[in-house]
Amino acid sequence: MSQFVDECGLNVRGGDGGAGCVAFRREAHVSKGGPDGGDGGDGGSVWLVADHNVASLIAFRDHPHRRAGNGSHGQGKRRHGATGDDTVVRVPVGTSVKDQGGELLADLAADGVRWLAAAGGQGGHGNSRFSTHQNRAPAFAEQGEAGEQRWLRLELKLLADVALVGFPNAGKSTLISRISAARPKIADYPFTTLEPNLGVVRTDDYFEMVVADIPGLIAGASEGRGLGHRFLRHTERARALVVMVDLASVEEIDPVEQQRVLLEELGAYRPELLERPRILVASKADAGHLMPPPGALCVSGVTGAGLAELIRAMADAVRVARSQEDQGRDAGNAGEVVVHRPVAEGFRVERADDGAYLVVGRAVERAVALSDLNAPGAWDFARRRLDQMGVDRALVRAGIKAGDTARIGDFEFEYHDDDEYLYEDEGVSL
C-alpha cells in the first residue's frame, strides 16, 4: 500500500457553543432574587497548519473527520461555561485547500502558516443578560450556536527546487538515486514510479537543494491522461525543471520529439512553467542509440557520466531562482501566502422548493435560538432583534405576502400584513 497520498477529502466541524443558563438567585434573606444564569462557552475551532515534518496526506485517507471540542453550558451564579478545545490539523507544506466546488480557499505554502477551517459556535447568553426594566426576571436564555461544518478538498503540491520531468522509463528514478539518498523503485518497464520521490542533493560547497522525481508524463497528460493532472501538479512550485529525454527509448521515439511533447504538455497545463529555468538532459548515454537534441547534457545514471556537470547546472539555476525570490520579498512583492475567503456578514433571503422564504445567516438564526420562545418576553425580544436587523424589510423586498411562510433556522413563521407573525413549532403558536 502506498504511503504517499497527495489528495484527499477532509470533513471539519467546529465545536458547538454551550447553552446559556436560566437561573435565579436563591439565598436566605434575599427575596425576589434576580436572574443569574451564566453564559455558555464558545466552541473550539478547527485549524489547518502547514508542518514541514508531515510529508503526505495519508493520515486523512481512512480517517477524514476532524472535530473541535464543544463549549460547556453556563451555570447559576453567573458561572460561564468553559471554551471548547481547538483542534489543530497538521498538513504538509504546499497543501492547497479547496471547497467542494473547486474554489481555492487557502494555500499553505510555508511552514507554520495557519488557516481557520471551521469556526466554533458562539456560546449562548444566560438569562442574566436579558434583564430589562420591563422584564426583570427573564425565564429564557440563548442556545449555543452550532459549529461550522463542511467538506474540504486537500491537494498537495510538492515544494522542490528542481523537478525531473520526462516520459515513463526515461531514467528519472535511477538519476535521483545516484545524485541523492532517495531510493525509489527502479525497474525496466513504464510507470515504475506511481508517486513522486524527493531527494536532497548536496554539492561539494555544501549547497543543498531538493529534487523531485515526477512520475512519467505522456502525451495528453495536461488533459488528464495517465493521471497527468496529479503528476503535473507537483511541478508547479519547482524553481527549475530538468527535462529528460531518453536516448534508449524502447518505442524508438526521437529525443527531439520527446522534448517537444514534454514542453507542449507543460505549457498546456501551466504556461508559466515554460518560463522557469530549464535544463535539457539526455539520459542513458551509456546505452543510447538515438541522437540527443542540440544543447542537451548527456548523462548516465549507471556509469555516472555527466552527473557532476548536471548537479552544477541545477545548483546554479536554483541559486539564481532563490536570489530572485529574496529580492522580491525585500521589495515587498512576495504576495499573500494564504488566499482567504471571508464569511459573508449579515443575512440573505432565499426561496425554498416549497415556496417558503428562508432567512439565512448566523446573526438571525441566533436571534431566535432561545431556550423557550413561550417564556414571557422571549418572543418580543426575538422580534425586536429581527426588526433591528431589517429582516421584516428584507422579506417585503423579497416579495413575501400575507399568509406566506418564512423560516429562520428550525423556526417557522406565518407572515401578516399587520407585521404580526404566527410562530409554529411542534404545535405551539404565539
Side-chain angles (χ1 to χ4, degrees), residues 18-159:
C21 176
V22 177
F24 298 90
R25 292 179 61 191
R26 291 293 183 265
E27 300 178 19
H29 314 297
V30 178
S31 61
K32 299 181 179 179
D36 68 350
D39 300 341
D42 293 340
S45 298
V46 179
W47 293 85
L48 299 189
V49 180
D51 188 339
H52 62 81
N53 293 315
V54 181
S56 169
L57 299 172
I58 192 171
F60 311 109
R61 182 174 60 186
D62 299 322
H63 304 283
H65 299 276
R66 299 294 185 275
R67 180 172 182 174
N70 294 333
S72 300
H73 300 319
Q75 301 180 44
K77 298 184 180 179
R78 304 198 181 191
R79 289 176 293 183
H80 302 320
T83 299
D85 293 332
D86 287 346
T87 293
V88 175
V89 181
R90 302 192 178 277
V91 298
V93 175
T95 298
S96 296
V97 186
K98 298 180 180 180
D99 63 17
Q100 290 296 88
E103 181 181 10
L104 180 65
L105 301 176
D107 191 6
L108 309 181
D111 184 54
V113 172
R114 295 166 58 89
W115 180 71
L116 180 61
Q122 295 180 1
H125 288 150
N127 68 333
S128 61
R129 299 274 192 169
F130 302 109
S131 178
T132 64
H133 291 297
Q134 291 76 27
N135 187 358
R136 296 182 179 276
F140 60 89
E142 281 182 331
Q143 299 283 21
E145 185 180 37
E148 185 180 12
Q149 176 175 264
R150 55 179 167 175
W151 276 96
L152 301 171
R153 191 72 190 167
L154 304 185
E155 295 182 359
L156 174 59
K157 301 175 184 177
L158 292 178
L159 293 176

Side-chain angles (χ1 to χ4, degrees), residues 246-249 252 282-290 299-303 305:
D246 185 1
L247 298 182
S249 170
E252 297 291 328
S283 65
K284 304 180 184 177
D286 60 308
H289 55 279
L290 302 174
V299 302
S300 170
V302 176
T303 67

Side-chain angles (χ1 to χ4, degrees), residues 241 262-264 266-268 270-278:
L241 302 177
L262 291 171
L263 294 181
E264 185 176 271
L266 289 171
R270 289 283 189 275
E272 60 270 22
L273 290 175
L274 299 181
E275 301 174 5
R276 306 277 173 86
R278 188 167 68 240

Side-chain angles (χ1 to χ4, degrees), residues 257-333:
E257 176 64 10
Q258 295 180 46
Q259 178 188 11
R260 186 195 66 78
V261 172
L262 291 171
L263 294 181
E264 185 176 271
E265 295 301 327
L266 289 171
Y269 179 71
R270 289 283 189 275
E272 60 270 22
L273 290 175
L274 299 181
E275 301 174 5
R276 306 277 173 86
R278 188 167 68 240
I279 303 169
L280 179 60
V281 172
S283 65
K284 304 180 184 177
D286 60 308
H289 55 279
L290 302 174
M291 290 293 294
L297 174 61
C298 294
V299 302
S300 170
V302 176
T303 67
L307 296 187
E309 185 178 354
L310 173 59
I311 291 173
R312 285 195 297 271
M314 291 192 300
D316 290 342
V318 171
R319 284 191 176 99
V320 171
R322 288 180 182 176
S323 176
Q324 291 174 346
E325 291 175 5
D326 292 340
Q327 292 174 7
R329 280 191 290 267
D330 293 341
N333 297 323

